[in-house]
Amino acid sequence: MILDWETFLTFVPLLVQGAVTTIELTVLVTIFGFLIALPVALARNSASRAARAFARSFIFFFRGAPILAVLFLLYYGLPQIPGIKDSILWHLIARPMPIAVLALSLNSAGFLAEIFALALRNVAVGDIEAARAFGFSRFQTFLRFALPGAARLCMRAYGNELVFVLKGTAAVNFITITDLIGAANQIYFNTFDPITPLLVAGAIYLVFALLIVTAVRYMERRLSPWLFLKAALKEAKA
Amino acid sequence: MDWSLFLPGATGWGDELAAGLWLTLRLGLASVLIGTGLGLLAALGELSRFRALSHGLAAYNVVMRSVPELLVILLLYYGLSFLIMALLRPFGIDSFIEVSPFWAGTLALSLIHAAYASEVFRGAFQAIPKGQVEAGLAFGMSRFLVFRRIKWPVAFRLSLGALANLLMTTFKNTPLVSAIGLQDLIRAAGDAGQNTKLYFQFFIASLVIYLAIAALMQIFQMRAETNLYAHLRRGPSA
């Protein structure tokens, strides 16, 4: 039953297409997830009670809800809203891809907002006070001190979340998008071998995840080189 | 809104939803229990002196945490029956064997849960102060007694928070088993939505149930932590 490699090669273009869809989704969700999460994280730490309550509910909702439930709610539920089919918005959401990006981004933002908020709270108070004392405006202080400081603190957790984004994209198979797993499934239907295509797809996912982890490690070293001084010195000596 | 839709009976979808929830609970609980047990064993294996074993388990964790849950579920569901049939063939048994989707799904979710749980346990065991273990050995305790009285209670307390988070993650992974034909809560909500064209209402209802489970877990976790960390509380207990 295990399929021979010659037959398998004819399906490589299909796999490549699926892999491209998976990458596309991962990149888009990384971008939009970040853009949604940052304001929510700021609201989570804000002095306003209402903003905090909103951020807390947002985080609670999207961290507690299964990705599939959010995806289905948007994919099947949105068209039910009266009048939506006449609006301009409809052109955007009538296709599965934007819906998938929106649902996955919201899901990821729930986790990211909590990570960012925690990191922002833990930036050394002295750094912020020093910046303010030197006459930086509140906005400048945020941009040049709080944000980089928080980035240092949350890099590892952020990397883990990015791997979850990659894995989460698999949910799009349930709303007719063909990603890597979808491609593997199509090869199965054509060859009656379910195992080889899935194993190959799994290996590709593994490579993607390792790439993400390596990139995040690199960023971590760039952001806080002093933490890696010992390791670097050891390497230099050896 | 017509609330009778959520009642059991011929016109309502209450019984279908309840059956879905029951499957979700059984699947989730079985996976968490088996996964946590396997995770503990894997952590002990990783910390053992056998190099090959610990490296193998570390590699297993990396793979399981990088590959989408859906892929693992599909691979086990298809793969297990292929494997069993291949193993039985030399004995002259050539019949078609299908693995039960429930157990294939449970095994897949357990194996994923175990990969994460073993990381949690490994970190907890490594965080135990060496002095406590040495003191136990100095008092003449056997290795097993040291494990039972010192290592395990301390490690369990340290890992409780992370284990509770993992439990929620695994519960949120259960809807993926609808890919192998199981009728979980989300699938039941989808069926109800398809028949009534009221997707929005049914998916919101299923989300409320998931969020209720999440809220219950958080309360339980806080209770357990206050009880387990009673000795760490400062001052007269509130």
Side-chain angles (χ1 to χ4, degrees), chain B residues 7-24:
Chain B
L7 293 175
T11 53
W13 291 87
D15 32 1
E16 282 84 356
L17 291 176
L21 177 63
W22 177 230
L23 182 107
T24 295

Side-chain angles (χ1 to χ4, degrees), chain B residues 1-7 12-13 205:
Chain B
M1 194 167 119
D2 186 6
W3 288 98
S4 68
L5 280 172
F6 296 111
L7 293 175
W13 291 87

Side-chain angles (χ1 to χ4, degrees), chain A residues 1-2 60-70 72-73 76-78 80-81 107 111 163-164 166-168 170-171 173-174 181 185 188-189 192-195 198-199 201-203 205-206 209-210, chain B residues 62-71 74-75 78-80 82-83 112 116 165 168-169 171-173 175-179 186-187 190 197-201 203-204 206-207 210-212 214-215 218:
Chain A
M1 267 306 204
I2 299 296
F60 177 70
F61 185 87
F62 286 109
R63 287 214 312 180
I67 294 185
L68 266 189
V70 178
F72 287 160
L73 183 71
Y76 293 112
L78 276 186
Q80 235 174 283
I81 299 173
N107 177 275
F111 290 90
V163 175
F164 273 101
L166 169 72
K167 298 196 325 172
N173 281 291
F174 289 87
I181 293 180
N185 253 338
Y188 163 38
F189 296 146
F192 302 106
D193 171 14
I195 299 171
L198 280 174
L199 284 178
Y205 274 110
L206 184 62
L210 291 179
Chain B
V62 171
V63 172
M64 270 304 188
R65 300 195 309 158
S66 308
V67 170
E69 296 80 8
L70 179 62
L71 195 145
L74 292 174
L75 196 59
Y78 300 136
L80 271 183
F82 269 74
L83 192 70
I112 297 164
Y116 287 94
N165 286 340
M168 269 321 292
T169 310
F171 261 95
K172 286 187 299 173
N173 283 339
L176 295 169
V177 296
S178 61
I186 304 292
R187 176 66 169 268
K197 298 290 164 232
L198 296 172
Y199 283 110
F200 207 86
Q201 288 81 337
F203 282 128
I204 286 283
S206 64
L207 274 176
Y210 264 100
L211 293 179
Q218 279 186 4

Side-chain angles (χ1 to χ4, degrees), chain B residues 90-114:
Chain B
F91 301 101
I93 305 168
D94 223 6
S95 55
F96 181 76
I97 289 162
E98 207 192 344
V99 187
S100 119
F102 180 83
W103 286 108
T106 304
L107 187 61
L109 293 181
S110 307
L111 289 174
I112 297 164
H113 190 93

Side-chain angles (χ1 to χ4, degrees), chain A residues 43-44 46 48-60:
Chain A
R44 176 85 173 75
S46 127
S48 144
R49 221 164 226 256
R52 277 205 310 270
F54 165 76
R56 268 166 187 259
S57 339
F58 180 94
I59 291 168
F60 177 70

